[in-house]
Coordinates of all heavy atoms in Angstrom, one line a residue:
F1 N -32.3 24.2 5.9 CA -33.1 24.0 4.6 C -32.4 23.1 3.7 O -31.2 23.6 3.4 CB -33.7 25.3 4.1 CG -34.4 25.1 2.8 CD1 -35.7 24.4 2.8 CD2 -33.9 25.3 1.5 CE1 -36.5 24.2 1.6 CE2 -34.7 25.1 0.4 CZ -35.9 24.5 0.4
F2 N -32.8 22.0 3.2 CA -32.2 21.1 2.4 C -32.6 21.3 0.9 O -33.8 21.1 0.7 CB -32.2 19.7 2.8 CG -31.3 18.8 2.0 CD1 -30.1 18.6 2.5 CD2 -31.8 18.0 1.0 CE1 -29.2 17.7 1.7 CE2 -30.9 17.2 0.2 CZ -29.7 17.0 0.7
Q3 N -31.7 21.9 0.1 CA -32.2 22.0 -1.4 C -32.3 20.6 -2.0 O -31.5 19.7 -1.8 CB -31.1 22.8 -2.2 CG -31.4 24.3 -2.3 CD -30.6 25.0 -3.4 OE1 -29.5 24.6 -3.6 NE2 -31.2 25.9 -4.1
P4 N -33.2 20.4 -3.0 CA -33.3 19.1 -3.5 C -31.9 19.0 -4.5 O -31.4 19.8 -4.9 CB -34.4 19.3 -4.6 CG -35.3 20.4 -4.0 CD -34.3 21.4 -3.3
I5 N -31.5 17.6 -4.5 CA -30.2 17.3 -5.2 C -30.7 17.3 -6.6 O -31.6 16.8 -7.1 CB -29.7 16.0 -4.8 CG1 -29.4 15.8 -3.3 CG2 -28.5 15.6 -5.6 CD1 -29.2 14.5 -2.8
A6 N -29.8 18.0 -7.5 CA -30.0 18.0 -9.0 C -28.6 17.8 -9.6 O -27.7 18.5 -9.1 CB -30.7 19.2 -9.4
F7 N -28.5 17.0 -10.7 CA -27.2 16.9 -11.3 C -27.5 16.7 -12.8 O -28.5 16.2 -13.2 CB -26.4 15.7 -10.6 CG -26.9 14.4 -10.9 CD1 -26.5 13.6 -12.0 CD2 -27.8 13.8 -10.0 CE1 -26.8 12.3 -12.2 CE2 -28.2 12.5 -10.1 CZ -27.8 11.8 -11.2
N8 N -26.5 17.1 -13.5 CA -26.3 16.8 -14.9 C -25.2 15.7 -15.1 O -24.3 15.7 -14.5 CB -25.9 18.0 -15.6 CG -27.0 19.0 -15.8 OD1 -28.2 18.8 -15.8 ND2 -26.6 20.4 -15.6
L9 N -25.5 14.8 -16.2 CA -24.5 13.9 -16.5 C -24.2 13.9 -17.9 O -25.2 13.9 -18.7 CB -25.2 12.4 -16.1 CG -24.3 11.3 -16.2 CD1 -23.4 11.3 -15.1 CD2 -25.2 10.0 -16.0
Y10 N -23.0 14.1 -18.3 CA -22.8 14.3 -19.8 C -21.4 13.8 -20.2 O -20.5 13.7 -19.2 CB -22.9 15.8 -20.2 CG -22.0 16.6 -19.2 CD1 -20.7 17.0 -19.8 CD2 -22.4 17.2 -18.0 CE1 -19.9 17.9 -19.0 CE2 -21.6 18.0 -17.3 CZ -20.3 18.4 -17.7 OH -19.5 19.2 -17.0
P11 N -21.1 13.4 -21.4 CA -22.2 13.2 -22.4 C -22.9 12.0 -22.1 O -22.5 11.1 -21.5 CB -21.2 13.0 -23.7 CG -19.9 12.5 -23.2 CD -19.8 13.0 -21.8
N12 N -24.2 12.0 -22.6 CA -25.0 10.9 -22.5 C -25.9 10.8 -23.8 O -26.7 11.7 -24.0 CB -25.9 11.1 -21.3 CG -26.7 9.8 -20.9 OD1 -26.5 8.8 -21.5 ND2 -27.5 10.0 -20.0
P13 N -25.5 9.8 -24.6 CA -24.8 8.6 -24.6 C -23.2 8.9 -24.4 O -22.7 10.0 -24.8 CB -25.0 7.8 -25.7 CG -25.8 8.6 -26.6 CD -26.3 9.8 -25.9
S14 N -22.5 8.1 -23.7 CA -21.0 8.1 -23.4 C -20.3 6.9 -23.9 O -20.8 5.9 -24.0 CB -20.9 8.3 -21.9 OG -19.5 8.2 -21.5
D15 N -19.0 7.1 -24.1 CA -18.0 6.1 -24.5 C -17.6 5.5 -23.2 O -16.6 4.5 -23.2 CB -16.9 6.6 -25.3 CG -16.0 7.5 -24.6 OD1 -16.2 7.9 -23.4 OD2 -15.1 8.1 -25.3
G16 N -18.0 5.9 -22.0 CA -17.5 5.4 -20.7 C -17.0 6.4 -19.8 O -16.8 6.2 -18.6
T17 N -16.6 7.5 -20.3 CA -16.0 8.6 -19.6 C -17.2 9.7 -19.4 O -17.6 10.2 -20.4 CB -14.8 9.3 -20.0 OG1 -13.8 8.3 -20.2 CG2 -14.3 10.4 -19.3
V18 N -17.6 9.9 -18.2 CA -18.7 10.9 -18.0 C -18.4 11.9 -16.9 O -17.6 11.7 -16.1 CB -20.0 10.2 -17.6 CG1 -20.7 9.4 -18.7 CG2 -19.9 9.3 -16.3
Q19 N -18.9 13.1 -17.1 CA -18.8 14.2 -16.2 C -20.2 14.2 -15.4 O -21.3 14.1 -16.0 CB -18.6 15.5 -16.8 CG -17.3 15.5 -17.7 CD -16.0 15.5 -16.9 OE1 -15.9 15.9 -15.8 NE2 -15.1 14.8 -17.6
L20 N -20.1 14.5 -14.1 CA -21.2 14.6 -13.2 C -21.1 16.0 -12.5 O -20.0 16.2 -11.9 CB -21.3 13.5 -12.2 CG -22.6 13.4 -11.3 CD1 -23.0 12.0 -11.1 CD2 -22.4 14.3 -10.0
Q21 N -22.1 16.8 -12.9 CA -22.1 18.1 -12.2 C -23.3 18.4 -11.3 O -24.5 18.2 -11.9 CB -22.1 19.2 -13.4 CG -22.1 20.6 -13.0 CD -20.9 21.2 -12.4 OE1 -19.8 20.9 -13.0 NE2 -20.9 21.9 -11.2
L22 N -23.2 18.6 -10.0 CA -24.2 18.7 -9.2 C -24.6 20.3 -9.1 O -23.9 21.2 -9.5 CB -23.8 18.5 -7.7 CG -23.8 16.9 -7.5 CD1 -22.8 16.5 -6.6 CD2 -25.2 16.4 -7.3
N23 N -25.9 20.7 -8.6 CA -26.4 22.1 -8.6 C -25.8 22.7 -7.5 O -25.7 24.0 -7.4 CB -27.9 21.9 -8.3 CG -28.3 21.2 -7.1 OD1 -27.7 20.3 -6.6 ND2 -29.4 21.7 -6.5
Q24 N -25.0 22.2 -6.5 CA -24.3 22.8 -5.4 C -23.3 21.7 -4.9 O -23.3 20.6 -5.3 CB -25.3 23.2 -4.3 CG -25.9 22.2 -3.5 CD -26.9 22.8 -2.5 OE1 -27.7 23.6 -2.8 NE2 -26.7 22.4 -1.3
S25 N -22.5 22.1 -3.9 CA -21.4 21.3 -3.3 C -22.2 20.5 -2.2 O -23.1 21.1 -1.4 CB -20.4 22.1 -2.8 OG -19.4 21.3 -2.2
Y26 N -21.9 19.2 -2.0 CA -22.5 18.4 -1.0 C -21.4 17.7 -0.3 O -20.4 17.3 -0.8 CB -23.5 17.3 -1.6 CG -24.7 17.9 -2.1 CD1 -24.8 18.1 -3.5 CD2 -25.8 18.2 -1.4 CE1 -25.9 18.8 -4.1 CE2 -26.9 18.8 -1.9 CZ -27.0 19.1 -3.2 OH -28.2 19.6 -3.7
Q27 N -21.6 17.5 1.1 CA -20.6 16.9 1.9 C -21.0 15.4 2.1 O -22.3 15.1 2.1 CB -20.7 17.5 3.3 CG -20.5 19.0 3.5 CD -19.2 19.3 3.0 OE1 -18.2 18.8 3.4 NE2 -19.0 20.3 2.1
N28 N -20.0 14.5 2.1 CA -20.3 13.1 2.3 C -21.3 12.5 1.2 O -22.2 11.9 1.6 CB -20.7 12.7 3.6 CG -19.6 13.2 4.6 OD1 -18.3 12.9 4.4 ND2 -20.0 13.7 5.7
A29 N -21.1 12.8 -0.1 CA -22.0 12.5 -1.2 C -21.4 11.2 -1.8 O -20.2 11.1 -1.8 CB -22.2 13.5 -2.1
E30 N -22.3 10.3 -2.1 CA -21.9 9.0 -2.8 C -22.5 9.0 -4.2 O -23.6 9.2 -4.4 CB -22.3 7.8 -2.0 CG -21.8 6.5 -2.6 CD -22.4 5.2 -1.7 OE1 -23.2 5.4 -0.9 OE2 -21.8 4.2 -1.9
I31 N -21.5 8.5 -5.1 CA -21.9 8.3 -6.5 C -21.9 6.7 -6.6 O -20.9 6.1 -6.3 CB -21.0 8.9 -7.6 CG1 -21.1 10.4 -7.4 CG2 -21.5 8.4 -9.0 CD1 -20.0 11.1 -8.4
V32 N -23.1 6.2 -7.0 CA -23.2 4.8 -7.3 C -23.7 4.5 -8.7 O -24.7 5.2 -9.2 CB -24.2 4.1 -6.3 CG1 -24.4 2.7 -6.6 CG2 -23.8 4.3 -4.9
V33 N -23.0 3.7 -9.5 CA -23.4 3.3 -10.9 C -23.7 1.8 -10.9 O -22.9 1.0 -10.3 CB -22.3 3.6 -11.9 CG1 -22.8 3.2 -13.3 CG2 -21.9 5.0 -11.7
S34 N -24.9 1.4 -11.3 CA -25.3 0.0 -11.3 C -25.8 -0.4 -12.7 O -26.3 0.5 -13.5 CB -26.5 -0.2 -10.4 OG -26.1 0.1 -9.0
D35 N -25.7 -1.6 -13.0 CA -26.3 -2.1 -14.4 C -27.7 -2.3 -14.1 O -28.3 -2.2 -12.9 CB -25.6 -3.3 -14.9 CG -25.7 -4.6 -14.0 OD1 -26.5 -4.6 -13.1 OD2 -24.8 -5.5 -14.2
L36 N -28.5 -2.7 -15.1 CA -30.0 -2.8 -14.9 C -30.4 -4.0 -14.1 O -31.5 -4.1 -13.7 CB -30.7 -2.8 -16.3 CG -30.6 -1.4 -17.1 CD1 -31.4 -1.6 -18.3 CD2 -31.1 -0.3 -16.2
A37 N -29.5 -4.9 -14.0 CA -29.6 -6.0 -13.2 C -29.5 -5.7 -11.5 O -29.7 -6.6 -10.7 CB -28.8 -7.3 -13.5
G38 N -29.0 -4.5 -11.4 CA -28.8 -4.1 -10.0 C -27.4 -4.4 -9.5 O -27.1 -4.1 -8.3
R39 N -26.5 -4.8 -10.3 CA -25.1 -5.1 -10.0 C -24.3 -3.8 -9.9 O -24.3 -3.1 -10.9 CB -24.4 -6.0 -10.9 CG -23.0 -6.4 -10.6 CD -22.6 -7.4 -11.7 NE -22.5 -6.8 -13.0 CZ -21.3 -6.3 -13.6 NH1 -20.2 -6.3 -13.0 NH2 -21.4 -5.8 -14.9
M40 N -23.7 -3.4 -8.7 CA -23.0 -2.2 -8.6 C -21.7 -2.3 -9.2 O -20.9 -3.2 -9.1 CB -22.8 -2.0 -7.0 CG -22.1 -0.6 -6.7 SD -21.7 -0.2 -5.1 CE -23.2 -0.7 -4.3
I41 N -21.4 -1.4 -10.1 CA -20.1 -1.4 -10.9 C -19.2 -0.3 -10.6 O -18.0 -0.3 -10.8 CB -20.4 -1.4 -12.4 CG1 -21.2 -0.2 -12.8 CG2 -21.0 -2.6 -12.8 CD1 -21.2 0.0 -14.4
F42 N -19.7 0.8 -9.8 CA -18.9 1.8 -9.3 C -19.5 2.4 -8.1 O -20.7 2.6 -8.0 CB -18.9 3.0 -10.4 CG -18.0 4.2 -9.9 CD1 -16.6 4.2 -10.1 CD2 -18.7 5.2 -9.3 CE1 -15.9 5.4 -9.8 CE2 -18.0 6.4 -9.1 CZ -16.6 6.4 -9.2
S43 N -18.7 2.7 -7.1 CA -19.2 3.4 -5.9 C -18.1 4.1 -5.3 O -16.9 3.7 -5.1 CB -19.8 2.4 -4.9 OG -20.1 3.0 -3.7
K44 N -18.3 5.4 -5.0 CA -17.3 6.2 -4.3 C -18.0 7.4 -3.4 O -19.0 8.0 -3.9 CB -16.4 6.9 -5.4 CG -15.3 7.7 -4.8 CD -14.4 8.2 -5.8 CE -13.1 8.8 -5.3 NZ -12.2 9.5 -6.2
V45 N -17.4 7.5 -2.3 CA -17.9 8.6 -1.4 C -16.9 9.7 -1.6 O -15.8 9.6 -1.5 CB -18.1 8.1 0.1 CG1 -18.4 9.2 0.8 CG2 -19.0 6.9 0.1
Y46 N -17.4 11.0 -1.6 CA -16.6 12.1 -1.8 C -16.9 13.0 -0.5 O -18.1 13.2 -0.2 CB -17.1 12.9 -3.1 CG -16.8 12.2 -4.2 CD1 -17.7 11.3 -4.8 CD2 -15.7 12.4 -5.1 CE1 -17.5 10.7 -5.9 CE2 -15.5 11.8 -6.3 CZ -16.4 10.9 -6.7 OH -16.1 10.2 -7.8
E47 N -15.9 13.6 0.1 CA -16.1 14.3 1.2 C -16.8 15.6 0.9 O -17.6 16.2 1.5 CB -14.7 14.7 1.9 CG -14.1 13.7 2.7 CD -12.7 14.1 3.4 OE1 -12.7 15.3 3.5 OE2 -12.0 13.3 3.5
N48 N -16.4 16.1 -0.3 CA -17.1 17.4 -0.8 C -17.2 17.3 -2.3 O -16.2 17.3 -3.1 CB -16.1 18.6 -0.4 CG -16.7 19.9 -0.8 OD1 -17.9 20.0 -1.0 ND2 -15.9 20.9 -0.7
L49 N -18.4 17.1 -2.8 CA -18.8 16.8 -4.2 C -19.6 17.9 -4.8 O -20.6 18.3 -4.3 CB -19.4 15.4 -4.2 CG -19.9 15.0 -5.7 CD1 -18.7 14.8 -6.5 CD2 -20.7 13.8 -5.6
Q50 N -19.0 18.5 -6.0 CA -19.8 19.3 -6.8 C -19.7 18.8 -8.2 O -20.6 18.9 -9.1 CB -19.6 20.7 -6.6 CG -20.4 21.5 -7.5 CD -20.5 23.0 -7.2 OE1 -19.7 23.6 -6.4 NE2 -21.5 23.8 -7.7
K51 N -18.5 18.3 -8.6 CA -18.2 17.9 -10.0 C -17.3 16.7 -9.9 O -16.3 16.6 -9.1 CB -17.5 18.9 -10.7 CG -17.4 18.7 -12.3 CD -16.8 19.8 -13.0 CE -16.8 19.4 -14.4 NZ -16.4 20.6 -15.3
A52 N -17.5 15.7 -10.7 CA -16.6 14.4 -10.7 C -16.6 13.9 -12.1 O -17.6 14.0 -12.9 CB -17.2 13.4 -9.8
Q53 N -15.5 13.2 -12.5 CA -15.4 12.6 -13.7 C -15.3 11.1 -13.3 O -14.5 10.6 -12.5 CB -14.0 12.9 -14.5 CG -13.9 12.1 -15.8 CD -12.8 12.6 -16.6 OE1 -12.7 13.7 -17.0 NE2 -11.8 11.7 -16.8
I54 N -16.1 10.3 -14.1 CA -16.2 8.8 -13.8 C -15.8 8.1 -15.0 O -16.1 8.4 -16.1 CB -17.6 8.4 -13.4 CG1 -18.2 9.2 -12.3 CG2 -17.8 6.9 -13.0 CD1 -19.6 9.0 -12.0
E55 N -14.9 7.1 -14.8 CA -14.4 6.3 -15.9 C -15.1 4.9 -15.7 O -14.8 4.2 -14.8 CB -12.9 6.1 -15.8 CG -12.1 7.3 -15.8 CD -12.0 8.0 -17.3 OE1 -12.2 7.1 -18.3 OE2 -11.8 9.1 -17.5
L56 N -15.8 4.5 -16.8 CA -16.6 3.1 -16.7 C -16.1 2.3 -17.8 O -16.1 2.8 -19.0 CB -18.1 3.4 -16.8 CG -18.6 4.3 -15.6 CD1 -20.2 4.5 -15.9 CD2 -18.5 3.5 -14.4
N57 N -15.5 1.2 -17.5 CA -15.1 0.2 -18.6 C -16.1 -1.0 -18.7 O -15.7 -2.0 -18.6 CB -13.7 -0.2 -18.2 CG -12.7 0.8 -18.2 OD1 -12.6 1.5 -19.1 ND2 -11.9 0.8 -17.1
E58 N -17.3 -0.6 -19.1 CA -18.4 -1.5 -19.2 C -18.8 -1.6 -20.6 O -18.5 -0.8 -21.4 CB -19.5 -1.1 -18.3 CG -19.2 -0.9 -16.8 CD -18.8 -2.2 -16.2 OE1 -19.4 -3.3 -16.4 OE2 -17.8 -2.1 -15.4
A59 N -19.5 -2.6 -20.9 CA -20.1 -2.9 -22.1 C -21.2 -1.9 -22.5 O -21.7 -1.3 -21.6 CB -20.8 -4.3 -22.2
S60 N -21.4 -1.8 -23.8 CA -22.5 -0.9 -24.3 C -23.8 -1.4 -23.6 O -24.1 -2.5 -23.3 CB -22.8 -1.0 -25.7 OG -21.7 -0.4 -26.4
G61 N -24.7 -0.3 -23.1 CA -25.9 -0.7 -22.5 C -26.4 0.5 -21.5 O -25.8 1.6 -21.5
L62 N -27.5 0.2 -20.8 CA -28.0 1.2 -20.0 C -27.5 0.9 -18.5 O -27.5 -0.2 -18.1 CB -29.6 1.2 -20.0 CG -30.3 1.6 -21.3 CD1 -31.6 1.4 -21.3 CD2 -29.9 3.1 -21.5
Y63 N -27.3 2.1 -17.8 CA -26.8 2.0 -16.4 C -27.5 3.0 -15.6 O -27.9 4.1 -16.2 CB -25.2 2.2 -16.4 CG -24.6 1.1 -17.1 CD1 -24.3 1.3 -18.4 CD2 -24.2 0.0 -16.4 CE1 -23.7 0.2 -19.2 CE2 -23.4 -1.0 -17.1 CZ -23.2 -0.9 -18.4 OH -22.5 -1.9 -19.1
S64 N -27.7 2.8 -14.4 CA -28.3 3.7 -13.4 C -27.2 4.4 -12.7 O -26.3 3.8 -12.1 CB -29.3 3.0 -12.4 OG -29.5 3.9 -11.4
V65 N -27.3 5.8 -12.7 CA -26.3 6.6 -11.9 C -27.1 7.4 -10.8 O -28.0 8.0 -11.1 CB -25.6 7.6 -12.8 CG1 -24.6 8.5 -12.1 CG2 -25.0 6.8 -13.9
S66 N -26.6 7.0 -9.6 CA -27.3 7.6 -8.4 C -26.4 8.5 -7.6 O -25.2 8.2 -7.5 CB -28.0 6.5 -7.6 OG -28.9 5.8 -8.2
V67 N -26.9 9.6 -7.0 CA -26.1 10.4 -6.2 C -27.0 10.3 -4.9 O -28.2 10.6 -4.8 CB -26.0 11.9 -6.6 CG1 -25.3 12.7 -5.5 CG2 -25.3 12.0 -7.8
K68 N -26.2 9.9 -3.7 CA -26.9 9.9 -2.5 C -26.2 10.9 -1.4 O -24.9 10.9 -1.4 CB -26.6 8.4 -1.8 CG -27.2 7.3 -2.7 CD -26.8 5.9 -2.1 CE -27.4 4.8 -2.9 NZ -27.1 3.4 -2.4
V69 N -27.1 11.6 -0.8 CA -26.6 12.5 0.3 C -27.5 12.3 1.5 O -28.6 12.7 1.4 CB -26.6 13.9 -0.2 CG1 -26.3 14.8 0.9 CG2 -25.8 14.1 -1.5
G70 N -26.9 11.8 2.5 CA -27.8 11.5 3.7 C -28.8 10.4 3.3 O -28.4 9.3 2.7
D71 N -30.0 10.8 3.5 CA -31.2 9.8 3.1 C -31.9 10.2 1.8 O -32.9 9.6 1.5 CB -32.3 9.7 4.3 CG -32.9 11.1 4.6 OD1 -32.4 12.0 4.0 OD2 -33.9 11.1 5.4
K72 N -31.2 11.0 1.1 CA -31.9 11.6 -0.2 C -31.0 10.9 -1.3 O -29.7 10.7 -1.3 CB -31.7 13.1 -0.3 CG -32.2 13.9 0.8 CD -33.7 14.0 0.6 CE -34.2 15.0 1.7 NZ -34.9 14.4 2.7
V73 N -31.7 10.4 -2.3 CA -31.2 9.7 -3.5 C -31.8 10.3 -4.8 O -33.0 10.3 -4.9 CB -31.3 8.2 -3.4 CG1 -30.7 7.6 -4.7 CG2 -30.8 7.6 -2.1
V74 N -31.0 10.7 -5.8 CA -31.4 11.1 -7.1 C -30.8 10.2 -8.1 O -29.5 10.0 -8.1 CB -31.2 12.5 -7.3 CG1 -31.7 13.1 -8.6 CG2 -31.8 13.4 -6.3
S75 N -31.5 9.7 -9.1 CA -30.9 8.8 -10.1 C -31.4 9.2 -11.4 O -32.3 9.9 -11.7 CB -31.4 7.3 -9.9 OG -31.1 6.9 -8.6
T76 N -30.5 8.9 -12.5 CA -30.7 9.1 -13.8 C -30.2 7.8 -14.6 O -29.6 7.0 -14.0 CB -30.2 10.3 -14.4 OG1 -30.7 10.6 -15.6 CG2 -28.6 10.3 -14.4
T77 N -30.5 7.7 -15.8 CA -30.1 6.6 -16.7 C -28.9 7.2 -17.6 O -28.9 8.3 -18.1 CB -31.1 6.1 -17.5 OG1 -32.2 5.7 -16.6 CG2 -30.6 4.9 -18.4
L78 N -27.9 6.3 -17.6 CA -26.7 6.6 -18.6 C -26.7 5.5 -19.7 O -26.7 4.3 -19.4 CB -25.4 6.6 -17.8 CG -24.1 6.5 -18.6 CD1 -23.9 7.9 -19.3 CD2 -22.8 6.3 -17.7
F79 N -26.5 5.9 -20.9 CA -26.3 4.9 -22.0 C -24.9 4.9 -22.4 O -24.3 6.0 -22.8 CB -27.2 5.3 -23.2 CG -27.1 4.4 -24.3 CD1 -27.3 3.0 -24.2 CD2 -26.6 4.8 -25.5 CE1 -27.1 2.2 -25.2 CE2 -26.5 3.9 -26.7 CZ -26.9 2.7 -26.5
I80 N -24.3 3.8 -22.2 CA -22.9 3.6 -22.8 C -22.9 3.0 -24.1 O -23.5 1.9 -24.3 CB -22.0 2.8 -21.9 CG1 -21.9 3.6 -20.6 CG2 -20.6 2.4 -22.5 CD1 -21.0 2.8 -19.5
A81 N -22.2 3.7 -25.2 CA -22.2 3.3 -26.5 C -20.7 3.1 -26.9 O -20.0 4.1 -27.0 CB -22.9 4.2 -27.4
R82 N -20.3 1.9 -27.1 CA -18.9 1.7 -27.5 C -18.7 1.4 -29.0 O -19.5 0.8 -29.7 CB -18.3 0.5 -26.7 CG -18.3 0.8 -25.2 CD -17.2 0.1 -24.6 NE -17.1 0.3 -23.3 CZ -16.3 1.4 -22.6 NH1 -15.7 2.2 -23.4 NH2 -16.2 1.6 -21.4

């Protein structure tokens, strides 16, 4: 049985440093951050992911943060305010 992926992203809005906390630990999970034009600005695969800190040196604006596990993807919006 596969539990739905759920995560919290904080702080949001952020100065570029964000914490991502998943509802459980996932194997081979990927975090992808893209701008609203679809340009990928961060991507990392984790062997075992439940919590991660992401450093983004991007301009103020809205970004999409996705967590991918297998064929499942969950996304949310991050606002960076500098």
Side-chain angles (χ1 to χ4, degrees):
F1 178 70
F2 188 85
Q3 266 197 325
I5 302 167
F7 69 92
N8 290 322
L9 193 66
Y10 57 91
N12 193 4
S14 169
D15 62 1
T17 300
V18 292
Q19 304 291 327
L20 186 143
Q21 176 77 47
L22 287 150
N23 60 324
Q24 69 181 52
S25 182
Y26 291 96
Q27 305 297 315
N28 299 317
E30 181 180 16
I31 298 174
V32 176
V33 181
S34 303
D35 63 17
L36 293 185
R39 182 178 61 100
M40 186 185 310
I41 57 171
F42 176 89
S43 175
K44 184 172 179 183
V45 176
Y46 298 81
E47 283 184 28
N48 189 11
L49 176 64
Q50 184 163 13
K51 185 175 183 177
Q53 178 172 302
I54 305 169
E55 302 282 341
L56 301 171
N57 295 313
E58 300 298 320
S60 294
L62 293 173
Y63 296 86
S64 171
V65 179
S66 301
V67 175
K68 299 179 182 181
V69 179
D71 62 352
K72 309 282 191 244
V73 179
V74 179
S75 300
T76 192
T77 302
L78 169 67
F79 180 58
I80 294 180
R82 295 207 178 270

